[in-house]
Amino acid sequence: MQSGDFIVMLAILIYFIAVLIIGFSYAKRSNSSSSEYFLGGRKVGPWFTALSAEASDMSGYLLMGLPGLAYFTGAADVGWTAIGLALGTYLNWLLVAKRLRRYSEVAGDAITLPGFYSNRFHDDRNVIGTIAAVIILVFFCVYTGSCFVTCGKLFHSLFGVDYSLMMVFGAIIVFLYTMVGGYLSVVATDFLQGTLMFFALAVVVIGSITMAGGLDNTVAFLSDIPGYLTMVQTAVPVLDANGTQVVENGMPLFDSVPKEYGLLAIISTMSWGLGYFGMPQVLVRFMGIRSDTEVKQSRRIAIVWVIVSMFSAVMIGIIGRYLIPTELLTQSTAESIFIVLSRMMLPAFLCGIVVSGILAASMSSASAYLLITGSSVAENIFRGIFKRNATDNQVLIVSRITLAVVLLFGIFVAWDENSVIFTVVSYAWAGLGASFGPLTLFSLYWRRTTKQGAVAGMLTGAATVLIWHNLVKPLGGVFGVYELLPAFILGSLAIVIVSLLSKEPSQAIYDEFDHYMDEPTLEMRDLDAVLEDGKPLSGDATEYATSTRLRAASADSAEEALAKGTEDEETLV
């Protein structure tokens, strides 16, 4: 290692230490109950909720997958994907966040997404929750592996260190702070990591534009590549037998005839946005926000973060092709463009901080996947089926065992260092989005949805993704669309058709659905008089936490609820 490498490593080490300190600092609070460990006791404020939701969603593909795709094939594919994700983010916050926050509390105070689905349909046998937990387990194992790939690629690109060794090291760090600190640990570290990701993208994109001498030079150079900068065509790299782009006279070769990017391709790519309605790592953040009145503020924060971050990621890849056109000649190595540019333009310590943003992207997502999988298996399979009278301590033990199993499987998935992050993520994204997206929307908006319809929708969505990706999509043509789109449509149809053919929900379910969005009663509003515009009139955080608890309390008196409220003194911003 050169001296500069040691400084970069020092900056990354500081980041690792900060993450572990934050994670372990929440150990005592998180382990007080399963509700605290899995959902933070619903005490997370708008800033932490927004950045945690987006940081856990935008895994390694934000800083590696998207720039790499832009570098390799140009603006169209990655551009329409980013637009679809931005729209999906906004609509998810607008249509789902507030309703899910309220309904999950009304429906038996559910603390996991599978638990909400079961409670929503009064599924005493926990069939829905079990199926949902199994789907989460399957696809999140793959998703977690994609995050570990990012860690290994980062250290291998920076220092030439063995990929497998550093991939395992990063996985263990994530496992430790997630296992010990639970939801609050994950949310707090996500806030740090989301801030770091935003800073890293801003620094590198501004530095890239400066290094290129402005955007005019970049545009002039890339305009000569057929289809590279247009949104209706895709550049086609000329590859050799090993999948490496051919270089001739010091320039990368592209096919003279670009690939057309028609309406069907645009719709297919934008359908990435549909996945948000079924992403457990995002939906759980909605469930854990302190109050549904804070969703609007959180939504604004999240949208600004997403738009700026994705625009910067795409620009880094495009400008990178101008700055170093022949250095990254496979789709897998192209995903290192962010790292290469950071090393070229930044002092060693700042480079270390910036590339820590890649670790932040992968670690924030991996921790969310681990926790959600652990909570789903422990709460909805172990306590939901095998041991209904299980104590919180037993549930937490099973959750941690599940974390260890998912950790090992994720390492197995990530062992191939040639894995293309964008491809791995797209498969798991489709599986989760199609399984849970339609069910989430129908659960919140259609009272006639039945338990049988819910099961049919989940199974149809998951099965369609698997079948379409492996058997139908290779046929090409109209069948080459992203598997999420047909799976989402068929999953929605399955819910409607089976619900209409099955027995209507009970009156109790109808009553719960009809009133879950009702405003608090007059008495509850009186108890909330200590609030003004969602903030405490006094500076006492206890009063604020108390009033929030009282909104949903079932205590016989205000005095009983006040006594309970003192437990909630600490909240996250």
Side-chain angles (χ1 to χ4, degrees):
M1 276 192 186
Q2 301 176 352
S3 60
D5 291 338
F6 281 109
I7 296 175
V8 173
M9 183 68 82
L10 175 63
I12 295 175
L13 182 62
I14 292 173
Y15 163 74
F16 274 133
I17 293 173
V19 166
L20 287 175
I21 290 174
I22 292 173
F24 279 80
S25 67
Y26 287 99
K28 183 177 180 180
R29 288 178 58 190
S30 293
N31 286 281
S32 61
S33 69
S34 58
S35 176
E36 286 284 343
Y37 188 81
F38 295 143
L39 203 59
R42 300 185 194 267
K43 297 192 291 288
V44 182
W47 277 92
F48 276 69
T49 297
L51 291 191
S52 178
E54 303 316 317
S56 62
D57 160 46
M58 297 289 177
S59 57
Y61 77 82
L62 177 63
L63 279 79
M64 295 188 75
L66 289 182
L69 185 62
Y71 179 94
F72 206 63
T73 63
D77 208 2
V78 70
W80 289 115
T81 299
I83 292 171
L85 290 173
L87 287 174
T89 298
Y90 176 76
L91 292 175
N92 199 30
W93 278 94
L94 181 68
L95 300 177
V96 174
K98 185 174 182 178
R99 287 176 174 267
L100 183 58
R101 172 62 178 85
R102 287 200 179 185
Y103 210 163
S104 63
E105 193 166 19
V106 170
D109 196 21
I111 60 175
T112 67
L113 189 62
F116 165 68
Y117 293 144
S118 283
N119 293 352
R120 158 67 174 85
F121 298 102
H122 293 198
D123 179 18
D124 295 331
R125 297 174 62 186
N126 201 39
V127 174
I128 299 175
T130 301
I131 295 173
V134 170
I135 292 173
I136 286 174
L137 181 63
V138 170
F139 286 108
F140 266 176
C141 283
V142 177
Y143 226 148
T144 304
S146 74
C147 299
F148 297 162
V149 169
T150 304
C151 294
K153 280 189 175 183
L154 172 65
F155 284 100
H156 182 69
S157 299
L158 281 174
F159 312 116
V161 182
D162 181 71
Y163 164 84
S164 300
L165 176 65
M166 298 314 299
M167 180 269 291
V168 173
F169 174 74
I172 291 173
I173 293 291
V174 174
F175 172 75
L176 287 176
Y177 78 74
T178 305
M179 179 186 69
V180 173
Y183 183 84
L184 293 177
S185 167
V186 170
V187 168
T189 53
D190 282 353
F191 179 80
L192 167 67
Q193 290 164 163
T195 303
L196 181 58
M197 290 160 65
F198 191 89
F199 168 76
L201 285 163
V203 168
V204 175
V205 75
I206 293 171
S208 300
I209 294 172
T210 303
M211 183 180 292
L215 292 177
D216 291 343
N217 294 334
T218 303
V219 172
F221 175 81
L222 297 177
S223 295
D224 292 334
I225 300 176
Y228 196 87
L229 292 180
T230 175
M231 293 292 282
V232 293
Q233 291 177 322
T234 299
V236 182
V238 176
L239 307 178
D240 63 18
N242 298 318
T244 302
Q245 188 172 12
V246 177
V247 176
E248 189 174 274
N249 298 324
M251 295 298 294
L253 288 186
F254 288 86
D255 197 311
S256 59
V257 180
K259 179 182 177 182
E260 293 299 321
Y261 213 82
L263 180 61
L264 182 62
I266 292 172
I267 295 173
S268 171
T269 307
M270 288 187 67
S271 68
W272 271 75
L274 293 173
Y276 277 110
F277 298 119
M279 285 301 116
Q281 70 271 29
V282 178
L283 300 179
V284 167
R285 299 303 185 272
F286 297 162
M287 294 165 63
I289 195 169
R290 186 168 52 201
S291 168
D292 60 76
T293 60
E294 296 177 313
V295 166
K296 187 175 182 179
Q297 179 187 355
S298 198
R299 179 177 73 234
R300 290 170 175 169
I301 297 167
I303 294 304
V304 170
W305 190 97
V306 165
I307 291 175
V308 174
S309 296
M310 286 199 296
F311 175 78
S312 299
V314 173
M315 290 298 295
I316 288 168
I318 290 174
I319 298 171
R321 178 61 93 166
Y322 165 67
L323 293 173
I324 46 173
T326 61
E327 187 165 334
L328 308 170
L329 298 177
T330 67
Q331 189 170 355
S332 179
T333 58
E335 292 183 335
S336 300
I337 181 62
F338 181 91
I339 301 170
V340 175
L341 291 180
S342 298
R343 299 211 72 176
M344 288 173 57
M345 70 179 67
L346 300 175
F349 189 79
L350 184 56
C351 175
I353 296 297
V354 166
V355 297
S356 293
I358 298 177
L359 288 175
S362 60
M363 292 173 69
S364 60
S365 299
S367 61
Y369 307 154
L370 286 171
L371 184 64
I372 290 171
T373 307
S375 64
S376 298
V377 171
E379 186 72 25
N380 304 112
I381 296 180
F382 175 68
R383 178 141 66 181
I385 295 179
F386 295 108
K387 193 174 176 62
R388 290 181 176 267
N389 61 344
T391 65
D392 278 355
N393 186 53
Q394 291 171 327
V395 169
L396 294 180
I397 291 173
V398 172
S399 174
R400 290 186 171 108
I401 294 173
T402 305
L403 294 184
V405 172
V406 176
L407 169 76
L408 295 175
F409 193 84
I411 290 174
F412 171 77
V413 171
W415 200 258
D416 179 11
E417 64 181 293
N418 294 316
S419 299
V420 177
I421 296 169
F422 193 89
T423 303
V424 176
V425 168
S426 69
Y427 187 52
W429 181 273
L432 293 165
S435 300
F436 300 137
L439 178 56
T440 298
L441 292 174
F442 280 99
S443 295
L444 298 175
Y445 284 94
W446 192 37
R447 70 198 298 264
R448 181 64 174 79
T449 309
T450 65
K451 178 174 68 174
Q452 294 80 5
V455 171
M458 284 192 295
L459 294 179
T460 300
T464 302
V465 167
L466 296 173
I467 295 171
W468 198 280
H469 180 84
N470 294 294
L471 301 177
V472 180
K473 195 173 184 178
L475 298 175
V478 68
F479 299 109
V481 297
Y482 182 34
E483 53 267 24
L484 173 57
L485 181 59
F488 198 97
I489 294 172
L490 291 177
S492 299
L493 289 174
I495 291 175
V496 173
I497 293 171
V498 175
S499 291
L500 292 176
L501 292 177
S502 54
K503 183 181 178 181
E504 282 196 45
S506 67
Q507 187 60 44
I509 295 177
Y510 275 151
D511 290 341
E512 194 173 80
F513 180 91
D514 292 339
H515 298 288
Y516 82 90
M517 284 299 292
D518 288 354
E519 292 298 326
T521 62
L522 180 63
E523 291 76 12
M524 289 295 106
R525 287 198 183 98
D526 291 341
L527 290 173
D528 277 344
V530 294
L531 295 182
E532 184 176 65
D533 295 327
K535 298 179 180 179
L537 292 175
S538 71
D540 190 349
T542 304
E543 290 182 12
Y544 178 69
T546 297
S547 64
T548 303
R549 171 68 66 84
L550 288 172
R551 187 181 295 274
S554 59
D556 294 331
S557 65
E559 287 76 17
E560 289 181 37
L562 274 169
K564 292 182 180 180
T566 58
E567 301 171 5
D568 291 343
E569 292 185 14
E570 295 183 74
T571 60
L572 293 181
V573 175

